[in-house]
Amino acid sequence: MTPTAIHEWPSFAHAPDLDDLPPLQRPTGQTLAKYIWWDGEIREAEGQAVHYYSNALHYGSGVFEGIRCYPTERGPAIFRLHDHMRRLLASAAIYGMNVPYSLERLVEAAADVTRVNGIANGYLRPLAYFGQGPVNLTPKRQCAVSLFIAARELGAFLGEEGLRRGIRVTISSWRKFHHTMLPTTAKATGHYANSVLAAHEATDRGFDDAILLNQDGTVAEATGENVFFVKHGELVTNDATSSILPGITRDTVLKLAADLHVPVKIRAFTRDELMMADEVFLTGTAAEVTPVREIDGRAFEAGPGTIGAKLQKAYLSAVRGLIRQHDDWLHYV
Ligand SMILES: Cc1ncc(COP(=O)(O)O)c(C=O)c1O
């Protein structure tokens, strides 16, 4: 199948195979880009610093995004840029952070920093934070807000091999914080202490990543990814009522599943159901669509022929501008 045949794929049978896609040269390092956008201007990144008494450093009062830019036939394109910036502003709002830039200004800034660094395949990290101020827990009253958009290389987040063959995951002994404790739909720096603990535990035990359960035993999400499973041909994932960060990749995969006529159920699910699944995969901007081949010794189907692989191929087609009907997901720089 040629790449152009992918444009109008109407049914499951016509979803492209990964090997049908034009090869994507992924960076293998994590080199930082030369220029950064910081408080309204492009600056040389080298030497830029955050004050040691920034409120965000002490209390986790920052909000951020992770956004990928992919090479396409029409040049570099940032994937779902407006949606990411919209979420950034929503995360800021719940923390009482007044971001002095409009959605359109942030979109333009992200495109500018991508362009000035000559990035075709890269990762953008916008981060807004409360800066230096007095020792107290009301930064919205005393701390100035700063916002930068950094850029760097980022290859396959959980490894190229993981992307193709699947990763090994453990169920964390750390539970996910409930949405009554912290606003889980916001992407805030302080929330990631939970993920760091779980990721350290998982990798110390020889796994690639961890899935966290909620206090009631239902599945929440992985350290930086949402969880999907397939059972008897039906795709299942949870929603914000399970204290997840509702991912933009999750939303993309749900729309691609609809295109491909894959039946979907969105509902809470238990560890037990997950362990009984036929397939499991994780979604996230960094991890893209990564199959899970094992959870704590239990093996799952992964790779060619699986529904997860079809959705992964569809996702990797979409991000590269190969699905015309979803061209509005791409912001060409
Ligand atoms: C905790 C958590 N869940 C889910 C996701 C997936 O979100 P997205 O697909 O918008 O990158 C991320 C990554 O941002 C995350 O950190």
Side-chain angles (χ1 to χ4, degrees):
M1 188 183 286
T2 62
T4 44
I6 295 164
H7 290 177
E8 310 293 349
W9 44 277
S11 72
F12 205 88
H14 293 90
D17 280 332
L18 203 53
D19 294 326
D20 299 330
L21 299 178
L24 177 64
Q25 280 305 330
R26 289 173 183 279
T28 50
Q30 289 211 24
T31 307
L32 302 184
K34 188 165 193 290
Y35 298 102
I36 189 166
W37 188 96
W38 200 309
D39 288 341
E41 61 190 22
I42 298 280
R43 302 179 185 171
E44 278 228 28
E46 181 76 29
Q48 295 296 324
V50 171
H51 194 277
Y52 61 85
Y53 244 114
S54 289
N55 189 276
L57 181 62
H58 296 246
Y59 304 121
S61 59
V63 297
F64 69 106
E65 281 299 317
I67 311 174
R68 275 193 189 265
C69 175
Y70 290 91
T72 77
E73 281 171 8
R74 292 171 53 197
I78 305 174
F79 191 65
R80 299 197 66 171
L81 177 57
H82 276 85
D83 295 313
H84 280 285
M85 290 306 189
R86 226 174 260 123
R87 187 169 68 186
L88 181 72
L89 291 173
S91 301
I94 196 157
Y95 274 97
M97 189 183 285
N98 226 332
V99 173
Y101 307 105
S102 66
L103 175 65
E104 286 311 321
R105 180 76 182 97
L106 293 174
V107 163
E108 192 186 308
D112 284 350
V113 79
T114 305
R115 205 177 296 117
V116 74
N117 281 300
I119 290 170
N121 189 341
Y123 182 77
L124 301 180
R125 169 56 58 90
L127 192 150
Y129 64 96
F130 284 116
Q132 182 197 357
V135 176
N136 67 36
L137 294 166
T138 52
K140 74 173 184 178
R141 304 195 200 291
Q142 284 121 330
C143 299
V145 173
S146 277
L147 192 153
F148 63 70
I149 306 176
R152 71 188 305 156
E153 289 183 335
L154 185 69
F157 184 57
L158 294 163
E160 195 79 42
E161 182 73 4
L163 209 51
R164 282 190 172 267
R165 297 190 201 290
I167 57 167
R168 297 179 55 249
V169 170
T170 187
I171 302 292
S172 181
S173 68
W174 294 100
R175 296 294 170 108
K176 172 80 199 223
F177 52 88
H178 193 253
H179 58 72
T180 55
M181 302 171 178
L182 288 169
T184 49
T185 59
K187 193 167 167 69
T189 58
H191 299 189
Y192 282 81
N194 193 213
S195 292
V196 167
L197 288 168
H200 277 170
E201 180 190 51
T203 52
D204 284 350
R205 287 167 40 194
F207 291 93
D208 300 305
D209 200 2
I211 288 173
L212 290 89
L213 303 180
N214 291 308
Q215 205 53 45
D216 67 1
T218 56
V219 173
E221 60 186 335
T223 57
E225 304 88 21
N226 294 122
V227 180
F228 284 76
F229 74 84
V230 176
K231 183 75 180 181
H232 301 320
E234 183 180 69
L235 186 63
V236 180
T237 195
N238 51 15
D239 64 13
T241 60
S242 290
S243 298
I244 64 166
L245 177 77
I248 290 165
T249 316
R250 168 189 174 280
D251 178 73
T252 304
V253 165
L254 288 173
K255 290 187 168 119
L256 293 170
D259 292 347
L260 294 168
H261 307 295
V262 177
V264 175
K265 274 249 167 59
I266 297 177
R267 61 173 177 82
F269 57 93
T270 61
R271 173 191 198 160
D272 172 45
E273 282 181 280
L274 186 67
M275 298 306 271
M276 301 289 273
D278 301 323
E279 302 173 32
V280 177
F281 61 87
L282 307 180
T283 64
T285 297
E288 300 167 307
V289 178
T290 296
V292 172
R293 68 182 159 88
E294 182 203 315
I295 302 177
D296 292 324
R298 157 91 165 91
F300 299 94
E301 296 163 29
T306 60
I307 289 177
K310 295 238 163 40
L311 289 165
Q312 182 193 54
K313 289 159 198 165
Y315 182 77
L316 294 175
S317 302
V319 297
R320 300 176 63 191
L322 297 170
I323 303 176
R324 189 156 295 146
Q325 75 201 75
H326 292 305
D327 210 42
D328 58 334
W329 283 340
L330 301 182
H331 186 95
Y332 292 94
V333 300

